[in-house]
Amino acid sequence: MRSLELVRIEAGLHDWAAITCGCSWGPNRYSSEHIPLELIRRLEGNPEDLGTDWVDNHARIQSNLMDPAVATASLALAALAGRPPVGVRKDLLYILGVLSAGEQDDVAEACLDVARQGVWLYYEELAAFEMVGASAEAYELLSLMDEQAERLAAYHRVYRDRLPSDLR
């Protein structure tokens, strides 16, 4: 699977051992090395079952972004670029969205900067309409990018009937 190769390369660009994971509580500090390992394990297994719990309580706790958020966003984008199955894409788009809209504005903006690198992947997801949830997540992510407002409005005019009612 292309996603695995891209994720492995991207994972190697970050010093995960030096990044404290959100699952570290109190005096016990754990590195975030397990985050890319867990994503790779899931992509190697049944990729339809990716889910989001490999990010929850690690890169984010509820809406609070943790230290590995930006590096995790880059992993999600790398996995998405490998064009995994649509259910996996939906989960990856969701992850990019929640990391880009978290409580800590500076970290959320850094995550959004990572997400901006995949802007055409999101438009393609919106246009392909393989799964309502994936198209909706792509639309929601694009709506976070002020510089995409005009283009997104044009796409909205064409594809609004494919979106859930709350996004029409």
Side-chain angles (χ1 to χ4, degrees):
M1 175 185 288
R2 289 182 307 221
S3 292
L4 279 170
E5 199 170 298
L6 297 175
V7 169
R8 284 187 177 109
I9 292 167
E10 188 60 32
L13 298 174
H14 302 277
D15 186 1
W16 296 93
I19 304 171
T20 302
C21 189
C23 66
S24 302
W25 293 99
N28 297 325
R29 295 286 179 223
Y30 302 106
S31 78
S32 57
E33 292 173 294
H34 60 282
I35 294 174
L37 296 175
E38 182 62 18
L39 175 57
I40 290 166
R41 184 188 69 76
R42 289 177 185 221
L43 290 172
E44 285 175 332
N46 181 356
E48 287 296 333
D49 295 332
L50 181 64
T52 62
D53 60 336
W54 62 277
V55 173
D56 296 335
N57 298 314
H58 302 285
R60 73 180 193 115
I61 298 175
Q62 296 176 359
S63 61
N64 293 303
L65 300 176
M66 302 290 110
D67 291 344
V70 177
T72 302
S74 72
L75 282 183
L77 183 57
L80 187 64
R83 197 78 178 137
V86 67
V88 173
R89 295 195 313 268
K90 179 185 72 66
D91 291 339
L92 293 167
L93 289 161
Y94 172 80
I95 289 164
L96 282 166
V98 296
L99 294 176
S100 297
E103 295 283 327
Q104 293 68 24
D105 291 340
D106 56 336
V107 179
E109 189 62 33
C111 290
L112 188 56
D113 285 343
V114 169
R116 283 182 171 103
Q117 296 173 43
V119 69
W120 286 107
L121 295 173
Y122 317 138
Y123 282 113
E124 195 279 330
E125 192 69 54
L126 180 59
F129 193 67
E130 292 180 58
M131 174 189 275
V132 173
S135 295
E137 294 297 346
Y139 184 88
E140 295 269 8
L141 183 54
L142 286 162
S143 70
L144 297 173
M145 302 175 193
D146 294 338
E147 71 279 5
Q148 294 298 320
E150 185 177 342
R151 179 173 285 116
L152 185 57
Y155 275 73
H156 186 265
R157 285 190 293 276
V158 173
Y159 296 115
R160 75 175 142 241
D161 292 339
R162 296 180 175 182
L163 294 169
S165 59
D166 63 318
L167 298 177
R168 292 183 185 165

PDB file of all heavy atoms in Angstrom, residues 46-82:
ATOM      1  N   ASN A  46      -6.126  -4.277   8.764  1.00  0.00           N
ATOM      2  CA  ASN A  46      -7.345  -4.019   8.006  1.00  0.00           C
ATOM      3  C   ASN A  46      -7.537  -2.509   7.935  1.00  0.00           C
ATOM      4  O   ASN A  46      -8.054  -1.913   8.865  1.00  0.00           O
ATOM      5  CB  ASN A  46      -8.538  -4.683   8.698  1.00  0.00           C
ATOM      6  CG  ASN A  46      -9.819  -4.457   7.917  1.00  0.00           C
ATOM      7  OD1 ASN A  46      -9.845  -3.769   6.913  1.00  0.00           O
ATOM      8  ND2 ASN A  46     -10.896  -5.047   8.403  1.00  0.00           N
ATOM      9  N   PRO A  47      -7.122  -1.876   6.836  1.00  0.00           N
ATOM     10  CA  PRO A  47      -7.147  -0.422   6.797  1.00  0.00           C
ATOM     11  C   PRO A  47      -8.533   0.194   6.853  1.00  0.00           C
ATOM     12  O   PRO A  47      -8.662   1.382   7.098  1.00  0.00           O
ATOM     13  CB  PRO A  47      -6.439  -0.080   5.487  1.00  0.00           C
ATOM     14  CG  PRO A  47      -6.538  -1.300   4.654  1.00  0.00           C
ATOM     15  CD  PRO A  47      -6.597  -2.455   5.614  1.00  0.00           C
ATOM     16  N   GLU A  48      -9.576  -0.576   6.653  1.00  0.00           N
ATOM     17  CA  GLU A  48     -10.930  -0.027   6.793  1.00  0.00           C
ATOM     18  C   GLU A  48     -11.229   0.314   8.246  1.00  0.00           C
ATOM     19  O   GLU A  48     -12.149   1.061   8.535  1.00  0.00           O
ATOM     20  CB  GLU A  48     -11.970  -1.004   6.253  1.00  0.00           C
ATOM     21  CG  GLU A  48     -11.977  -1.100   4.751  1.00  0.00           C
ATOM     22  CD  GLU A  48     -12.371   0.176   4.038  1.00  0.00           C
ATOM     23  OE1 GLU A  48     -13.121   1.004   4.592  1.00  0.00           O
ATOM     24  OE2 GLU A  48     -11.907   0.367   2.904  1.00  0.00           O
ATOM     25  N   ASP A  49     -10.463  -0.250   9.172  1.00  0.00           N
ATOM     26  CA  ASP A  49     -10.693  -0.051  10.596  1.00  0.00           C
ATOM     27  C   ASP A  49      -9.694   0.925  11.218  1.00  0.00           C
ATOM     28  O   ASP A  49      -9.277   0.751  12.343  1.00  0.00           O
ATOM     29  CB  ASP A  49     -10.595  -1.385  11.339  1.00  0.00           C
ATOM     30  CG  ASP A  49     -11.695  -2.344  10.934  1.00  0.00           C
ATOM     31  OD1 ASP A  49     -12.769  -1.864  10.535  1.00  0.00           O
ATOM     32  OD2 ASP A  49     -11.475  -3.550  11.016  1.00  0.00           O
ATOM     33  N   LEU A  50      -9.291   1.957  10.490  1.00  0.00           N
ATOM     34  CA  LEU A  50      -8.291   2.887  11.000  1.00  0.00           C
ATOM     35  C   LEU A  50      -8.775   3.585  12.266  1.00  0.00           C
ATOM     36  O   LEU A  50      -8.115   3.575  13.281  1.00  0.00           O
ATOM     37  CB  LEU A  50      -7.913   3.916   9.931  1.00  0.00           C
ATOM     38  CG  LEU A  50      -6.851   4.924  10.359  1.00  0.00           C
ATOM     39  CD1 LEU A  50      -5.532   4.243  10.633  1.00  0.00           C
ATOM     40  CD2 LEU A  50      -6.696   5.999   9.301  1.00  0.00           C
ATOM     41  N   GLY A  51      -9.940   4.195  12.222  1.00  0.00           N
ATOM     42  CA  GLY A  51     -10.460   4.907  13.374  1.00  0.00           C
ATOM     43  C   GLY A  51      -9.631   6.135  13.712  1.00  0.00           C
ATOM     44  O   GLY A  51      -8.764   6.559  12.949  1.00  0.00           O
ATOM     45  N   THR A  52      -9.901   6.696  14.877  1.00  0.00           N
ATOM     46  CA  THR A  52      -9.198   7.907  15.297  1.00  0.00           C
ATOM     47  C   THR A  52      -8.546   7.761  16.666  1.00  0.00           C
ATOM     48  O   THR A  52      -7.885   8.678  17.124  1.00  0.00           O
ATOM     49  CB  THR A  52     -10.164   9.107  15.338  1.00  0.00           C
ATOM     50  OG1 THR A  52     -11.188   8.856  16.294  1.00  0.00           O
ATOM     51  CG2 THR A  52     -10.771   9.372  13.969  1.00  0.00           C
ATOM     52  N   ASP A  53      -8.705   6.616  17.311  1.00  0.00           N
ATOM     53  CA  ASP A  53      -8.173   6.488  18.671  1.00  0.00           C
ATOM     54  C   ASP A  53      -6.653   6.415  18.728  1.00  0.00           C
ATOM     55  O   ASP A  53      -6.066   6.571  19.788  1.00  0.00           O
ATOM     56  CB  ASP A  53      -8.814   5.313  19.420  1.00  0.00           C
ATOM     57  CG  ASP A  53      -8.593   3.976  18.753  1.00  0.00           C
ATOM     58  OD1 ASP A  53      -8.359   3.935  17.538  1.00  0.00           O
ATOM     59  OD2 ASP A  53      -8.680   2.950  19.460  1.00  0.00           O
ATOM     60  N   TRP A  54      -5.982   6.242  17.599  1.00  0.00           N
ATOM     61  CA  TRP A  54      -4.517   6.306  17.590  1.00  0.00           C
ATOM     62  C   TRP A  54      -4.042   7.759  17.756  1.00  0.00           C
ATOM     63  O   TRP A  54      -2.878   8.000  18.044  1.00  0.00           O
ATOM     64  CB  TRP A  54      -3.935   5.662  16.321  1.00  0.00           C
ATOM     65  CG  TRP A  54      -4.335   6.335  15.033  1.00  0.00           C
ATOM     66  CD1 TRP A  54      -5.482   6.144  14.322  1.00  0.00           C
ATOM     67  CD2 TRP A  54      -3.587   7.321  14.321  1.00  0.00           C
ATOM     68  NE1 TRP A  54      -5.502   6.949  13.216  1.00  0.00           N
ATOM     69  CE2 TRP A  54      -4.340   7.680  13.189  1.00  0.00           C
ATOM     70  CE3 TRP A  54      -2.355   7.941  14.525  1.00  0.00           C
ATOM     71  CZ2 TRP A  54      -3.915   8.631  12.266  1.00  0.00           C
ATOM     72  CZ3 TRP A  54      -1.924   8.887  13.607  1.00  0.00           C
ATOM     73  CH2 TRP A  54      -2.695   9.223  12.490  1.00  0.00           C
ATOM     74  N   VAL A  55      -4.965   8.717  17.618  1.00  0.00           N
ATOM     75  CA  VAL A  55      -4.673  10.143  17.805  1.00  0.00           C
ATOM     76  C   VAL A  55      -5.234  10.645  19.136  1.00  0.00           C
ATOM     77  O   VAL A  55      -4.585  11.430  19.836  1.00  0.00           O
ATOM     78  CB  VAL A  55      -5.271  10.964  16.634  1.00  0.00           C
ATOM     79  CG1 VAL A  55      -5.132  12.452  16.881  1.00  0.00           C
ATOM     80  CG2 VAL A  55      -4.626  10.566  15.323  1.00  0.00           C
ATOM     81  N   ASP A  56      -6.427  10.176  19.479  1.00  0.00           N
ATOM     82  CA  ASP A  56      -7.103  10.625  20.699  1.00  0.00           C
ATOM     83  C   ASP A  56      -6.283  10.268  21.934  1.00  0.00           C
ATOM     84  O   ASP A  56      -5.794   9.149  22.069  1.00  0.00           O
ATOM     85  CB  ASP A  56      -8.499  10.006  20.798  1.00  0.00           C
ATOM     86  CG  ASP A  56      -9.412  10.469  19.676  1.00  0.00           C
ATOM     87  OD1 ASP A  56      -9.173  11.556  19.126  1.00  0.00           O
ATOM     88  OD2 ASP A  56     -10.353   9.731  19.336  1.00  0.00           O
ATOM     89  N   ASN A  57      -6.127  11.247  22.814  1.00  0.00           N
ATOM     90  CA  ASN A  57      -5.344  11.140  24.047  1.00  0.00           C
ATOM     91  C   ASN A  57      -3.841  11.002  23.799  1.00  0.00           C
ATOM     92  O   ASN A  57      -3.098  10.659  24.704  1.00  0.00           O
ATOM     93  CB  ASN A  57      -5.847  10.005  24.946  1.00  0.00           C
ATOM     94  CG  ASN A  57      -7.276  10.246  25.373  1.00  0.00           C
ATOM     95  OD1 ASN A  57      -7.630  11.352  25.778  1.00  0.00           O
ATOM     96  ND2 ASN A  57      -8.112   9.241  25.256  1.00  0.00           N
ATOM     97  N   HIS A  58      -3.432  11.259  22.584  1.00  0.00           N
ATOM     98  CA  HIS A  58      -2.012  11.251  22.220  1.00  0.00           C
ATOM     99  C   HIS A  58      -1.642  12.601  21.593  1.00  0.00           C
ATOM    100  O   HIS A  58      -0.853  13.345  22.156  1.00  0.00           O
ATOM    101  CB  HIS A  58      -1.699  10.102  21.261  1.00  0.00           C
ATOM    102  CG  HIS A  58      -2.047   8.767  21.823  1.00  0.00           C
ATOM    103  ND1 HIS A  58      -1.291   8.152  22.795  1.00  0.00           N
ATOM    104  CD2 HIS A  58      -3.097   7.946  21.575  1.00  0.00           C
ATOM    105  CE1 HIS A  58      -1.856   6.997  23.112  1.00  0.00           C
ATOM    106  NE2 HIS A  58      -2.950   6.850  22.395  1.00  0.00           N
ATOM    107  N   ALA A  59      -2.225  12.909  20.423  1.00  0.00           N
ATOM    108  CA  ALA A  59      -1.975  14.192  19.759  1.00  0.00           C
ATOM    109  C   ALA A  59      -3.009  15.234  20.167  1.00  0.00           C
ATOM    110  O   ALA A  59      -2.803  16.428  19.982  1.00  0.00           O
ATOM    111  CB  ALA A  59      -1.983  14.023  18.244  1.00  0.00           C
ATOM    112  N   ARG A  60      -4.109  14.761  20.720  1.00  0.00           N
ATOM    113  CA  ARG A  60      -5.139  15.678  21.230  1.00  0.00           C
ATOM    114  C   ARG A  60      -5.902  14.991  22.354  1.00  0.00           C
ATOM    115  O   ARG A  60      -6.062  13.764  22.363  1.00  0.00           O
ATOM    116  CB  ARG A  60      -6.092  16.127  20.135  1.00  0.00           C
ATOM    117  CG  ARG A  60      -7.056  15.059  19.707  1.00  0.00           C
ATOM    118  CD  ARG A  60      -7.990  15.547  18.621  1.00  0.00           C
ATOM    119  NE  ARG A  60      -9.075  14.621  18.453  1.00  0.00           N
ATOM    120  CZ  ARG A  60     -10.346  14.885  18.707  1.00  0.00           C
ATOM    121  NH1 ARG A  60     -10.713  16.068  19.094  1.00  0.00           N
ATOM    122  NH2 ARG A  60     -11.269  13.968  18.532  1.00  0.00           N
ATOM    123  N   ILE A  61      -6.318  15.796  23.293  1.00  0.00           N
ATOM    124  CA  ILE A  61      -7.196  15.324  24.363  1.00  0.00           C
ATOM    125  C   ILE A  61      -8.414  16.218  24.297  1.00  0.00           C
ATOM    126  O   ILE A  61      -8.324  17.417  24.582  1.00  0.00           O
ATOM    127  CB  ILE A  61      -6.510  15.378  25.746  1.00  0.00           C
ATOM    128  CG1 ILE A  61      -5.286  14.452  25.752  1.00  0.00           C
ATOM    129  CG2 ILE A  61      -7.505  15.000  26.851  1.00  0.00           C
ATOM    130  CD1 ILE A  61      -4.464  14.499  27.021  1.00  0.00           C
ATOM    131  N   GLN A  62      -9.518  15.644  23.856  1.00  0.00           N
ATOM    132  CA  GLN A  62     -10.728  16.377  23.507  1.00  0.00           C
ATOM    133  C   GLN A  62     -10.336  17.429  22.472  1.00  0.00           C
ATOM    134  O   GLN A  62      -9.850  17.071  21.414  1.00  0.00           O
ATOM    135  CB  GLN A  62     -11.406  16.914  24.750  1.00  0.00           C
ATOM    136  CG  GLN A  62     -11.879  15.794  25.644  1.00  0.00           C
ATOM    137  CD  GLN A  62     -12.489  16.246  26.942  1.00  0.00           C
ATOM    138  OE1 GLN A  62     -12.579  17.429  27.241  1.00  0.00           O
ATOM    139  NE2 GLN A  62     -12.913  15.297  27.740  1.00  0.00           N
ATOM    140  N   SER A  63     -10.487  18.708  22.751  1.00  0.00           N
ATOM    141  CA  SER A  63     -10.105  19.719  21.748  1.00  0.00           C
ATOM    142  C   SER A  63      -8.746  20.344  22.051  1.00  0.00           C
ATOM    143  O   SER A  63      -8.308  21.241  21.341  1.00  0.00           O
ATOM    144  CB  SER A  63     -11.179  20.803  21.660  1.00  0.00           C
ATOM    145  OG  SER A  63     -11.320  21.446  22.911  1.00  0.00           O
ATOM    146  N   ASN A  64      -8.090  19.857  23.092  1.00  0.00           N
ATOM    147  CA  ASN A  64      -6.764  20.372  23.447  1.00  0.00           C
ATOM    148  C   ASN A  64      -5.685  19.643  22.659  1.00  0.00           C
ATOM    149  O   ASN A  64      -5.605  18.415  22.696  1.00  0.00           O
ATOM    150  CB  ASN A  64      -6.506  20.205  24.948  1.00  0.00           C
ATOM    151  CG  ASN A  64      -7.418  21.071  25.766  1.00  0.00           C
ATOM    152  OD1 ASN A  64      -7.435  22.281  25.593  1.00  0.00           O
ATOM    153  ND2 ASN A  64      -8.198  20.458  26.640  1.00  0.00           N
ATOM    154  N   LEU A  65      -4.860  20.407  21.977  1.00  0.00           N
ATOM    155  CA  LEU A  65      -3.805  19.824  21.167  1.00  0.00           C
ATOM    156  C   LEU A  65      -2.575  19.570  22.020  1.00  0.00           C
ATOM    157  O   LEU A  65      -2.188  20.405  22.831  1.00  0.00           O
ATOM    158  CB  LEU A  65      -3.469  20.756  19.999  1.00  0.00           C
ATOM    159  CG  LEU A  65      -4.647  21.035  19.069  1.00  0.00           C
ATOM    160  CD1 LEU A  65      -4.247  22.039  17.995  1.00  0.00           C
ATOM    161  CD2 LEU A  65      -5.171  19.754  18.446  1.00  0.00           C
ATOM    162  N   MET A  66      -1.965  18.432  21.816  1.00  0.00           N
ATOM    163  CA  MET A  66      -0.781  18.034  22.565  1.00  0.00           C
ATOM    164  C   MET A  66       0.467  18.209  21.691  1.00  0.00           C
ATOM    165  O   MET A  66       0.374  18.474  20.500  1.00  0.00           O
ATOM    166  CB  MET A  66      -0.915  16.568  23.001  1.00  0.00           C
ATOM    167  CG  MET A  66      -2.152  16.280  23.848  1.00  0.00           C
ATOM    168  SD  MET A  66      -2.043  17.007  25.493  1.00  0.00           S
ATOM    169  CE  MET A  66      -3.251  18.307  25.406  1.00  0.00           C
ATOM    170  N   ASP A  67       1.630  18.014  22.286  1.00  0.00           N
ATOM    171  CA  ASP A  67       2.898  18.241  21.587  1.00  0.00           C
ATOM    172  C   ASP A  67       3.017  17.523  20.236  1.00  0.00           C
ATOM    173  O   ASP A  67       3.551  18.106  19.295  1.00  0.00           O
ATOM    174  CB  ASP A  67       4.084  17.864  22.480  1.00  0.00           C
ATOM    175  CG  ASP A  67       4.258  18.809  23.660  1.00  0.00           C
ATOM    176  OD1 ASP A  67       3.673  19.924  23.638  1.00  0.00           O
ATOM    177  OD2 ASP A  67       4.981  18.445  24.607  1.00  0.00           O
ATOM    178  N   PRO A  68       2.540  16.284  20.091  1.00  0.00           N
ATOM    179  CA  PRO A  68       2.727  15.618  18.792  1.00  0.00           C
ATOM    180  C   PRO A  68       1.699  16.006  17.717  1.00  0.00           C
ATOM    181  O   PRO A  68       1.679  15.403  16.638  1.00  0.00           O
ATOM    182  CB  PRO A  68       2.635  14.130  19.126  1.00  0.00           C
ATOM    183  CG  PRO A  68       1.941  14.042  20.418  1.00  0.00           C
ATOM    184  CD  PRO A  68       2.133  15.344  21.136  1.00  0.00           C
ATOM    185  N   ALA A  69       0.878  17.011  17.952  1.00  0.00           N
ATOM    186  CA  ALA A  69      -0.206  17.333  17.014  1.00  0.00           C
ATOM    187  C   ALA A  69       0.295  17.647  15.604  1.00  0.00           C
ATOM    188  O   ALA A  69      -0.232  17.109  14.622  1.00  0.00           O
ATOM    189  CB  ALA A  69      -1.041  18.496  17.551  1.00  0.00           C
ATOM    190  N   VAL A  70       1.294  18.494  15.467  1.00  0.00           N
ATOM    191  CA  VAL A  70       1.747  18.909  14.135  1.00  0.00           C
ATOM    192  C   VAL A  70       2.392  17.732  13.397  1.00  0.00           C
ATOM    193  O   VAL A  70       2.095  17.493  12.218  1.00  0.00           O
ATOM    194  CB  VAL A  70       2.709  20.112  14.225  1.00  0.00           C
ATOM    195  CG1 VAL A  70       3.225  20.500  12.849  1.00  0.00           C
ATOM    196  CG2 VAL A  70       2.014  21.306  14.894  1.00  0.00           C
ATOM    197  N   ALA A  71       3.236  16.985  14.082  1.00  0.00           N
ATOM    198  CA  ALA A  71       3.862  15.823  13.454  1.00  0.00           C
ATOM    199  C   ALA A  71       2.802  14.784  13.077  1.00  0.00           C
ATOM    200  O   ALA A  71       2.897  14.132  12.022  1.00  0.00           O
ATOM    201  CB  ALA A  71       4.903  15.211  14.387  1.00  0.00           C
ATOM    202  N   THR A  72       1.773  14.645  13.891  1.00  0.00           N
ATOM    203  CA  THR A  72       0.691  13.704  13.603  1.00  0.00           C
ATOM    204  C   THR A  72      -0.116  14.165  12.397  1.00  0.00           C
ATOM    205  O   THR A  72      -0.529  13.346  11.569  1.00  0.00           O
ATOM    206  CB  THR A  72      -0.200  13.525  14.844  1.00  0.00           C
ATOM    207  OG1 THR A  72       0.610  13.060  15.932  1.00  0.00           O
ATOM    208  CG2 THR A  72      -1.318  12.538  14.592  1.00  0.00           C
ATOM    209  N   ALA A  73      -0.326  15.464  12.281  1.00  0.00           N
ATOM    210  CA  ALA A  73      -1.017  15.998  11.100  1.00  0.00           C
ATOM    211  C   ALA A  73      -0.240  15.652   9.832  1.00  0.00           C
ATOM    212  O   ALA A  73      -0.828  15.277   8.813  1.00  0.00           O
ATOM    213  CB  ALA A  73      -1.203  17.512  11.222  1.00  0.00           C
ATOM    214  N   SER A  74       1.086  15.748   9.898  1.00  0.00           N
ATOM    215  CA  SER A  74       1.893  15.409   8.717  1.00  0.00           C
ATOM    216  C   SER A  74       1.776  13.921   8.382  1.00  0.00           C
ATOM    217  O   SER A  74       1.767  13.547   7.211  1.00  0.00           O
ATOM    218  CB  SER A  74       3.348  15.831   8.904  1.00  0.00           C
ATOM    219  OG  SER A  74       4.005  15.016   9.829  1.00  0.00           O
ATOM    220  N   LEU A  75       1.670  13.065   9.393  1.00  0.00           N
ATOM    221  CA  LEU A  75       1.459  11.628   9.147  1.00  0.00           C
ATOM    222  C   LEU A  75       0.115  11.384   8.471  1.00  0.00           C
ATOM    223  O   LEU A  75       0.016  10.591   7.532  1.00  0.00           O
ATOM    224  CB  LEU A  75       1.475  10.850  10.457  1.00  0.00           C
ATOM    225  CG  LEU A  75       2.780  10.523  11.137  1.00  0.00           C
ATOM    226  CD1 LEU A  75       2.516   9.693  12.383  1.00  0.00           C
ATOM    227  CD2 LEU A  75       3.723   9.807  10.208  1.00  0.00           C
ATOM    228  N   ALA A  76      -0.914  12.059   8.969  1.00  0.00           N
ATOM    229  CA  ALA A  76      -2.252  11.886   8.405  1.00  0.00           C
ATOM    230  C   ALA A  76      -2.281  12.326   6.944  1.00  0.00           C
ATOM    231  O   ALA A  76      -2.871  11.651   6.094  1.00  0.00           O
ATOM    232  CB  ALA A  76      -3.281  12.666   9.227  1.00  0.00           C
ATOM    233  N   LEU A  77      -1.626  13.446   6.645  1.00  0.00           N
ATOM    234  CA  LEU A  77      -1.593  13.914   5.259  1.00  0.00           C
ATOM    235  C   LEU A  77      -0.816  12.948   4.374  1.00  0.00           C
ATOM    236  O   LEU A  77      -1.228  12.656   3.245  1.00  0.00           O
ATOM    237  CB  LEU A  77      -0.993  15.321   5.184  1.00  0.00           C
ATOM    238  CG  LEU A  77      -0.959  15.947   3.794  1.00  0.00           C
ATOM    239  CD1 LEU A  77      -2.349  16.009   3.172  1.00  0.00           C
ATOM    240  CD2 LEU A  77      -0.331  17.330   3.862  1.00  0.00           C
ATOM    241  N   ALA A  78       0.299  12.424   4.862  1.00  0.00           N
ATOM    242  CA  ALA A  78       1.076  11.450   4.093  1.00  0.00           C
ATOM    243  C   ALA A  78       0.238  10.203   3.802  1.00  0.00           C
ATOM    244  O   ALA A  78       0.232   9.695   2.679  1.00  0.00           O
ATOM    245  CB  ALA A  78       2.357  11.074   4.848  1.00  0.00           C
ATOM    246  N   ALA A  79      -0.489   9.725   4.803  1.00  0.00           N
ATOM    247  CA  ALA A  79      -1.344   8.550   4.610  1.00  0.00           C
ATOM    248  C   ALA A  79      -2.453   8.852   3.607  1.00  0.00           C
ATOM    249  O   ALA A  79      -2.769   8.026   2.750  1.00  0.00           O
ATOM    250  CB  ALA A  79      -1.932   8.100   5.943  1.00  0.00           C
ATOM    251  N   LEU A  80      -3.030  10.027   3.692  1.00  0.00           N
ATOM    252  CA  LEU A  80      -4.091  10.430   2.777  1.00  0.00           C
ATOM    253  C   LEU A  80      -3.575  10.513   1.340  1.00  0.00           C
ATOM    254  O   LEU A  80      -4.264  10.109   0.402  1.00  0.00           O
ATOM    255  CB  LEU A  80      -4.657  11.782   3.216  1.00  0.00           C
ATOM    256  CG  LEU A  80      -5.882  12.294   2.493  1.00  0.00           C
ATOM    257  CD1 LEU A  80      -7.062  11.362   2.727  1.00  0.00           C
ATOM    258  CD2 LEU A  80      -6.214  13.702   2.975  1.00  0.00           C
ATOM    259  N   ALA A  81      -2.357  11.008   1.158  1.00  0.00           N
ATOM    260  CA  ALA A  81      -1.779  11.150  -0.179  1.00  0.00           C
ATOM    261  C   ALA A  81      -1.574   9.798  -0.853  1.00  0.00           C
ATOM    262  O   ALA A  81      -1.545   9.721  -2.087  1.00  0.00           O
ATOM    263  CB  ALA A  81      -0.452  11.901  -0.102  1.00  0.00           C
ATOM    264  N   GLY A  82      -1.471   8.734  -0.069  1.00  0.00           N
ATOM    265  CA  GLY A  82      -1.316   7.390  -0.623  1.00  0.00           C
ATOM    266  C   GLY A  82      -2.607   6.799  -1.145  1.00  0.00           C
ATOM    267  O   GLY A  82      -2.632   5.664  -1.611  1.00  0.00           O
TER     268      GLY A  82
END
